[in-house]
Amino acid sequence: MFHAPNAMQRATLPPATEEAEPRHPAPAATREAPAPAADRPARSGAKQRDAFFDNAKYLAIVLVAVAHSWVPVMDGSRTARALYMVVYTFHMPAFILISGYFSRSFDLSPAKVKRLVTGVAVPYVVFETAYSLFRRYANDQPDAAVSLLEPWYLTWFLAALFIWRLTTPIWRNLRHPLAVSLVIAVLASLAPSIGDDLDLPRVLQFLPFFVLGLQLKPEHFALVRRREARLLALPLFAGALVFAYWAAPRMQLGWFLRDSSAQDMGAPWWSGAVMTLAMFGCATLLTAGFLALVPRRHMWFTVLGAGTICGYLLHGFLVKGADYAGIFDDHAWLVGPAGLVIVTVVASTAVTLLCTPPVRRVLRCVTEPDMDWAFRRDAARI
């Protein structure tokens, strides 16, 4: 019996900046708040979105929602656990890498600091409070704390993105930033005394993927968009699934969550260094394979890539709400192959609807607030 953890983003690409995504012959751009996948484009309507990155963001958020929904139904299924392990190896690294790529131009200028606050810090405060209150009342936990220092469930990513982006000028000026970030991640994996404030163990262990994104150039993405890369991606994922099936009863899921040290998981301290480097290599390979399979042209779901922040922040209420309501306990048949398929379809459909433009417009006051009143006039010029 296996148990899920309780803890539960050919042609050379044109350059991208934090303000605007690469130009591409796609529909007119829409504004997007910094999300688990990437940055929003500039407010100017003249900018065009790149369908490749919007497709990648949408597909990644679907994987995030699906993986979260598997937790209550994968208990006892070796196959489900193996699928979970493969998806968890790369779905958040892919989000973080793309976020780093679109943060390359971040500096401490007033305009960008304003966007960091309004696009990341404000949604964090709002949704961390909302999730804490949801847990308190929907799960009948009157003593559940509301603390902005202890991210709960999926809000950790916003806290992490705020920290990563704020340190971007440092990484852009170091000689070997990726090596330094890997050392930090290794140290975090074997330091149980680091504490849980702002989910720092996870922030530091995922840091190398953000730094890697900062180092990437358009030509690197052009490499994974070649036909050869797509052909190699298929056996890569097949091999990963075979290995995950073998490792499912032998490997702790905490290595994929990256929210604990090796000692916290009852493993030798040195295993933290080994697993951090091994997981980084595996995640990088699978992320490259994932990006190689992402469609380059405009698809029916391309427009949904602009609303991934809504899908990310809202789908947790559905997953946790179903759990609190006892749906999985009352319907034991969901813990099986048929249940896994149904839960996957429902989660995919739900997060797709949450990424649609109407939902995005409703949430704009939280995810894209102007807040000009809170900043000096020179900070309001984007």
Side-chain angles (χ1 to χ4, degrees):
M1 184 71 71
F2 312 116
H3 299 282
N6 294 327
M8 216 238 46
Q9 259 223 289
R10 290 179 192 160
T12 300
L13 288 170
T17 64
E18 186 207 13
E19 287 78 24
E21 295 187 358
R23 294 180 180 274
H24 188 276
T30 55
R31 291 178 54 204
E32 178 183 6
D39 253 346
R40 59 183 171 185
R43 297 183 179 183
S44 170
K47 298 296 182 181
Q48 297 283 326
R49 302 182 67 90
D50 187 298
F52 171 76
F53 285 105
D54 276 336
N55 292 340
K57 290 186 290 180
Y58 166 74
L59 294 174
I61 193 60
V62 169
L63 290 176
V64 170
V66 166
H68 283 164
S69 70
W70 281 348
V71 172
V73 299
M74 73 182 200
D75 200 19
S77 172
R78 184 172 180 174
T79 299
R81 186 180 175 101
L83 288 169
Y84 179 91
M85 290 168 63
V86 171
V87 171
Y88 251 80
T89 299
F90 75 90
H91 72 348
M92 285 311 299
F95 259 137
I96 296 165
L97 183 145
I98 296 175
S99 295
Y101 180 67
F102 283 101
S103 297
R104 295 179 304 159
S105 66
F106 180 84
D107 53 33
L108 296 178
S109 64
K112 291 176 182 177
V113 168
K114 177 195 173 187
R115 291 180 59 180
L116 179 63
V117 171
T118 59
V120 180
V122 170
Y124 171 73
V125 171
V126 171
F127 279 90
E128 173 61 24
T129 302
Y131 270 107
S132 298
L133 294 175
F134 182 70
R135 177 176 55 167
R136 175 184 295 180
Y137 296 110
N139 197 35
D140 193 21
Q141 291 182 261
D143 296 331
V146 179
S147 173
L148 298 181
L149 294 179
E150 298 179 4
W152 185 71
Y153 198 30
L154 49 73
T155 57
W156 72 268
F157 181 81
L158 293 177
L161 184 59
F162 185 88
I163 296 171
W164 293 332
R165 189 164 289 165
L166 199 61
T167 61
T168 293
I170 297 175
W171 304 114
R172 296 290 291 169
N173 282 281
L174 289 180
R175 189 181 296 273
H176 302 292
L178 184 58
V180 173
S181 68
L182 282 170
V183 170
I184 293 174
V186 166
L187 293 176
S189 72
L190 46 87
S193 61
I194 197 171
D196 295 326
D197 289 349
L198 296 179
D199 216 343
L200 279 180
R202 187 144 43 183
V203 172
L204 299 179
Q205 290 185 55
F206 274 117
L207 173 64
F209 299 103
F210 183 82
V211 175
L212 176 60
L214 290 174
Q215 307 308 304
L216 293 180
K217 296 179 172 59
E219 50 265 32
H220 295 129
F221 288 95
L223 289 176
V224 300
R225 295 169 74 172
R226 297 175 60 179
R227 182 173 179 272
E228 296 86 345
R230 293 198 299 276
L231 294 177
L232 289 173
L234 298 177
L236 173 65
F237 277 102
L241 284 170
V242 171
F243 178 80
Y245 188 82
W246 171 84
R250 300 172 173 86
M251 190 171 180
Q252 294 191 58
L253 297 181
W255 295 116
F256 300 88
L257 300 176
R258 296 177 174 86
D259 60 352
S260 304
S261 67
Q263 296 93 318
D264 290 332
M265 291 184 284
W269 67 268
W270 53 265
S271 64
V274 174
M275 290 302 297
T276 296
L277 297 177
M279 291 295 293
F280 176 78
C282 292
T284 301
L285 282 175
L286 290 181
T287 296
F290 165 72
L291 293 174
L293 297 175
V294 170
R296 295 171 293 170
R297 65 184 183 278
H298 192 275
M299 308 290 288
W300 65 267
F301 53 79
T302 301
V303 67
L304 303 179
T308 51
I309 188 172
C310 300
Y312 180 80
L313 293 174
L314 292 177
H315 83 272
F317 290 109
L318 302 181
V319 175
K320 285 297 185 181
D323 189 23
Y324 294 159
I327 291 177
F328 303 107
D329 295 330
D330 297 339
H331 301 83
W333 60 270
L334 287 173
V335 184
L340 185 68
V341 172
I342 291 175
V343 167
T344 299
V345 172
V346 171
S348 302
T349 303
V351 77
T352 296
L353 294 175
L354 293 176
C355 291
T356 54
V359 176
R360 185 177 170 220
R361 285 194 291 269
V362 171
L363 279 189
R364 182 164 291 166
C365 60
V366 174
T367 60
E368 304 177 67
D370 286 327
M371 293 184 62
D372 287 342
W373 55 268
F375 295 88
R376 294 172 51 175
R377 182 170 301 179
D378 55 353
R381 294 195 295 269
I382 304 297

Short mmCIF file of all heavy atoms in Angstrom, two decimals, residues 34-64:
data_model
loop_
_atom_site.label_atom_id
_atom_site.label_comp_id
_atom_site.label_asym_id
_atom_site.label_seq_id
_atom_site.Cartn_x
_atom_site.Cartn_y
_atom_site.Cartn_z
N PRO A 34 2.03 38.64 -13.33
CA PRO A 34 3.04 37.61 -13.15
C PRO A 34 2.40 36.37 -12.55
O PRO A 34 1.71 36.43 -11.55
CB PRO A 34 4.02 38.26 -12.16
CG PRO A 34 3.87 39.73 -12.41
CD PRO A 34 2.43 39.93 -12.74
N ALA A 35 2.60 35.26 -13.19
CA ALA A 35 1.92 34.03 -12.83
C ALA A 35 2.91 32.92 -12.64
O ALA A 35 4.10 33.10 -12.88
CB ALA A 35 0.93 33.69 -13.95
N PRO A 36 2.45 31.68 -12.25
CA PRO A 36 3.38 30.58 -12.06
C PRO A 36 4.15 30.23 -13.30
O PRO A 36 5.11 29.51 -13.25
CB PRO A 36 2.44 29.43 -11.66
CG PRO A 36 1.25 30.09 -11.08
CD PRO A 36 1.11 31.37 -11.83
N ALA A 37 3.70 30.73 -14.46
CA ALA A 37 4.38 30.37 -15.68
C ALA A 37 5.28 31.46 -16.20
O ALA A 37 6.37 31.22 -16.66
CB ALA A 37 3.36 29.98 -16.74
N ALA A 38 4.84 32.70 -16.24
CA ALA A 38 5.65 33.75 -16.83
C ALA A 38 5.09 35.10 -16.47
O ALA A 38 4.11 35.24 -15.76
CB ALA A 38 5.71 33.59 -18.35
N ASP A 39 5.73 36.14 -17.05
CA ASP A 39 5.32 37.50 -16.76
C ASP A 39 4.21 37.96 -17.67
O ASP A 39 3.97 37.41 -18.73
CB ASP A 39 6.51 38.44 -16.94
CG ASP A 39 7.03 38.92 -15.62
OD1 ASP A 39 6.34 38.76 -14.62
OD2 ASP A 39 8.15 39.47 -15.63
N ARG A 40 3.56 39.05 -17.29
CA ARG A 40 2.57 39.66 -18.17
C ARG A 40 3.26 40.54 -19.20
O ARG A 40 4.33 41.06 -18.97
CB ARG A 40 1.57 40.47 -17.35
CG ARG A 40 2.20 41.59 -16.55
CD ARG A 40 1.15 42.30 -15.71
NE ARG A 40 1.74 43.21 -14.78
CZ ARG A 40 1.05 43.88 -13.88
NH1 ARG A 40 -0.24 43.72 -13.80
NH2 ARG A 40 1.66 44.70 -13.06
N PRO A 41 2.63 40.76 -20.35
CA PRO A 41 3.20 41.66 -21.33
C PRO A 41 2.92 43.10 -20.95
O PRO A 41 2.20 43.39 -20.01
CB PRO A 41 2.46 41.28 -22.62
CG PRO A 41 1.15 40.77 -22.12
CD PRO A 41 1.42 40.12 -20.80
N ALA A 42 3.47 44.00 -21.72
CA ALA A 42 3.24 45.42 -21.45
C ALA A 42 1.79 45.76 -21.72
O ALA A 42 1.07 45.07 -22.42
CB ALA A 42 4.15 46.27 -22.33
N ARG A 43 1.36 46.86 -21.17
CA ARG A 43 -0.03 47.25 -21.34
C ARG A 43 -0.32 47.75 -22.74
O ARG A 43 -1.46 47.86 -23.14
CB ARG A 43 -0.37 48.34 -20.32
CG ARG A 43 -0.26 47.85 -18.89
CD ARG A 43 -0.67 48.92 -17.91
NE ARG A 43 -0.59 48.43 -16.55
CZ ARG A 43 -0.93 49.14 -15.51
NH1 ARG A 43 -1.37 50.36 -15.65
NH2 ARG A 43 -0.83 48.64 -14.30
N SER A 44 0.71 48.05 -23.48
CA SER A 44 0.49 48.53 -24.84
C SER A 44 -0.17 47.46 -25.69
O SER A 44 0.27 46.31 -25.72
CB SER A 44 1.83 48.93 -25.46
OG SER A 44 1.66 49.18 -26.84
N GLY A 45 -1.22 47.79 -26.39
CA GLY A 45 -1.91 46.83 -27.23
C GLY A 45 -1.13 46.47 -28.47
O GLY A 45 -1.52 45.59 -29.22
N ALA A 46 0.00 47.13 -28.73
CA ALA A 46 0.79 46.86 -29.93
C ALA A 46 1.59 45.57 -29.80
O ALA A 46 2.07 45.05 -30.77
CB ALA A 46 1.73 48.03 -30.21
N LYS A 47 1.75 45.07 -28.59
CA LYS A 47 2.56 43.90 -28.38
C LYS A 47 1.80 42.64 -28.79
O LYS A 47 0.60 42.54 -28.62
CB LYS A 47 3.00 43.80 -26.92
CG LYS A 47 3.87 44.96 -26.46
CD LYS A 47 5.18 45.00 -27.21
CE LYS A 47 6.06 46.15 -26.69
NZ LYS A 47 7.33 46.22 -27.42
N GLN A 48 2.53 41.66 -29.30
CA GLN A 48 1.96 40.39 -29.69
C GLN A 48 2.51 39.29 -28.80
O GLN A 48 3.66 39.32 -28.39
CB GLN A 48 2.30 40.08 -31.16
CG GLN A 48 1.74 41.07 -32.17
CD GLN A 48 0.26 40.83 -32.43
OE1 GLN A 48 -0.21 39.71 -32.39
NE2 GLN A 48 -0.47 41.90 -32.67
N ARG A 49 1.67 38.30 -28.52
CA ARG A 49 2.08 37.19 -27.66
C ARG A 49 2.68 36.08 -28.52
O ARG A 49 2.34 35.91 -29.68
CB ARG A 49 0.89 36.68 -26.87
CG ARG A 49 0.23 37.74 -26.00
CD ARG A 49 -0.91 37.14 -25.21
NE ARG A 49 -0.39 36.20 -24.22
CZ ARG A 49 -0.04 36.54 -22.99
NH1 ARG A 49 -0.13 37.81 -22.61
NH2 ARG A 49 0.41 35.66 -22.15
N ASP A 50 3.55 35.29 -27.90
CA ASP A 50 4.12 34.13 -28.57
C ASP A 50 3.29 32.92 -28.20
O ASP A 50 3.17 32.57 -27.01
CB ASP A 50 5.58 33.95 -28.13
CG ASP A 50 6.26 32.86 -28.94
OD1 ASP A 50 5.81 31.71 -28.88
OD2 ASP A 50 7.24 33.17 -29.64
N ALA A 51 2.69 32.27 -29.19
CA ALA A 51 1.80 31.14 -28.94
C ALA A 51 2.51 30.00 -28.22
O ALA A 51 1.91 29.30 -27.40
CB ALA A 51 1.21 30.64 -30.25
N PHE A 52 3.79 29.81 -28.50
CA PHE A 52 4.55 28.72 -27.88
C PHE A 52 4.53 28.83 -26.36
O PHE A 52 4.26 27.86 -25.64
CB PHE A 52 5.98 28.71 -28.40
CG PHE A 52 6.89 27.76 -27.68
CD1 PHE A 52 6.83 26.40 -27.91
CD2 PHE A 52 7.82 28.23 -26.76
CE1 PHE A 52 7.66 25.51 -27.24
CE2 PHE A 52 8.66 27.36 -26.08
CZ PHE A 52 8.58 25.99 -26.32
N PHE A 53 4.83 30.01 -25.83
CA PHE A 53 4.89 30.18 -24.38
C PHE A 53 3.50 30.13 -23.76
O PHE A 53 3.33 29.61 -22.65
CB PHE A 53 5.61 31.48 -24.03
CG PHE A 53 7.09 31.40 -24.22
CD1 PHE A 53 7.70 32.01 -25.31
CD2 PHE A 53 7.89 30.70 -23.33
CE1 PHE A 53 9.07 31.92 -25.50
CE2 PHE A 53 9.25 30.61 -23.51
CZ PHE A 53 9.85 31.22 -24.60
N ASP A 54 2.50 30.67 -24.43
CA ASP A 54 1.14 30.58 -23.90
C ASP A 54 0.68 29.12 -23.86
O ASP A 54 0.02 28.69 -22.92
CB ASP A 54 0.18 31.42 -24.73
CG ASP A 54 0.17 32.88 -24.30
OD1 ASP A 54 0.53 33.15 -23.13
OD2 ASP A 54 -0.18 33.74 -25.11
N ASN A 55 1.01 28.35 -24.91
CA ASN A 55 0.67 26.93 -24.92
C ASN A 55 1.37 26.20 -23.77
O ASN A 55 0.77 25.35 -23.10
CB ASN A 55 1.07 26.31 -26.25
CG ASN A 55 0.23 26.81 -27.41
OD1 ASN A 55 -0.86 27.34 -27.22
ND2 ASN A 55 0.74 26.68 -28.62
N ALA A 56 2.65 26.52 -23.57
CA ALA A 56 3.41 25.85 -22.51
C ALA A 56 2.81 26.17 -21.14
O ALA A 56 2.70 25.29 -20.27
CB ALA A 56 4.88 26.29 -22.57
N LYS A 57 2.42 27.42 -20.94
CA LYS A 57 1.86 27.81 -19.64
C LYS A 57 0.53 27.11 -19.38
O LYS A 57 0.28 26.63 -18.27
CB LYS A 57 1.69 29.34 -19.59
CG LYS A 57 3.01 30.09 -19.51
CD LYS A 57 2.78 31.57 -19.30
CE LYS A 57 2.20 32.22 -20.54
NZ LYS A 57 1.99 33.68 -20.33
N TYR A 58 -0.31 27.03 -20.40
CA TYR A 58 -1.60 26.37 -20.21
C TYR A 58 -1.41 24.89 -19.92
O TYR A 58 -2.01 24.35 -18.97
CB TYR A 58 -2.47 26.54 -21.46
CG TYR A 58 -3.66 25.60 -21.45
CD1 TYR A 58 -4.74 25.83 -20.61
CD2 TYR A 58 -3.66 24.46 -22.25
CE1 TYR A 58 -5.81 24.95 -20.57
CE2 TYR A 58 -4.72 23.57 -22.21
CZ TYR A 58 -5.79 23.81 -21.37
OH TYR A 58 -6.83 22.93 -21.33
N LEU A 59 -0.59 24.21 -20.70
CA LEU A 59 -0.38 22.77 -20.49
C LEU A 59 0.26 22.50 -19.13
O LEU A 59 -0.07 21.50 -18.46
CB LEU A 59 0.48 22.21 -21.62
CG LEU A 59 -0.17 22.25 -23.01
CD1 LEU A 59 0.83 21.79 -24.07
CD2 LEU A 59 -1.42 21.36 -23.05
N ALA A 60 1.15 23.39 -18.69
CA ALA A 60 1.78 23.20 -17.39
C ALA A 60 0.77 23.36 -16.26
O ALA A 60 0.79 22.60 -15.28
CB ALA A 60 2.94 24.18 -17.22
N ILE A 61 -0.13 24.33 -16.37
CA ILE A 61 -1.11 24.53 -15.30
C ILE A 61 -2.09 23.37 -15.25
O ILE A 61 -2.58 22.98 -14.19
CB ILE A 61 -1.86 25.87 -15.44
CG1 ILE A 61 -2.63 26.20 -14.14
CG2 ILE A 61 -2.82 25.86 -16.60
CD1 ILE A 61 -1.76 26.32 -12.93
N VAL A 62 -2.38 22.77 -16.39
CA VAL A 62 -3.23 21.58 -16.40
C VAL A 62 -2.54 20.44 -15.64
O VAL A 62 -3.17 19.74 -14.84
CB VAL A 62 -3.56 21.15 -17.84
CG1 VAL A 62 -4.20 19.76 -17.86
CG2 VAL A 62 -4.50 22.15 -18.49
N LEU A 63 -1.25 20.26 -15.87
CA LEU A 63 -0.51 19.22 -15.17
C LEU A 63 -0.48 19.48 -13.66
O LEU A 63 -0.57 18.55 -12.86
CB LEU A 63 0.91 19.13 -15.72
CG LEU A 63 1.05 18.57 -17.13
CD1 LEU A 63 2.50 18.64 -17.59
CD2 LEU A 63 0.55 17.12 -17.19
N VAL A 64 -0.35 20.74 -13.26
CA VAL A 64 -0.35 21.08 -11.84
C VAL A 64 -1.68 20.70 -11.21
O VAL A 64 -1.73 20.05 -10.15
CB VAL A 64 -0.07 22.58 -11.64
CG1 VAL A 64 -0.32 22.98 -10.19
CG2 VAL A 64 1.37 22.90 -12.02
#
